[in-house]
Amino acid sequence: MTGQPAYEFVSAAACRDPKVDNCMEVATNVPGVVALRESAAPGVVIETTPERWATFVEAVRTGEYDLSA
């Protein structure tokens, strides 16, 4: 049985402000996998494919997930 890949998580520049206590982090350093986690819960990792990630990002860009409504 193999362990989880060695992800290199990064967060958005705005999340690097010390006043921000929890941010989404993403890792794209493992071929074929995009991994997501919250900085407050680093042990919980969600994996997806680059294709699904691209579809999600495009939906966010076009306002499909507008949470202000």
Side-chain angles (χ1 to χ4, degrees):
M1 182 175 175
T2 61
Q4 192 173 51
Y7 293 122
E8 296 173 9
F9 286 96
V10 296
S11 58
C15 293
R16 296 183 197 122
D17 184 326
K19 293 178 255 176
V20 177
D21 67 349
N22 186 26
C23 285
M24 293 300 298
E25 299 175 330
V26 63
T28 58
N29 65 301
V30 175
V33 178
V34 175
L36 304 166
R37 72 178 184 185
E38 288 189 38
S39 60
V44 179
V45 176
I46 298 170
E47 297 175 345
T48 191
T49 65
E51 296 80 16
R52 288 181 180 162
W53 175 251
T55 299
F56 173 75
V57 169
E58 182 60 25
V60 170
R61 283 185 182 139
T62 61
E64 188 171 334
Y65 296 108
D66 181 6
L67 300 178
S68 64

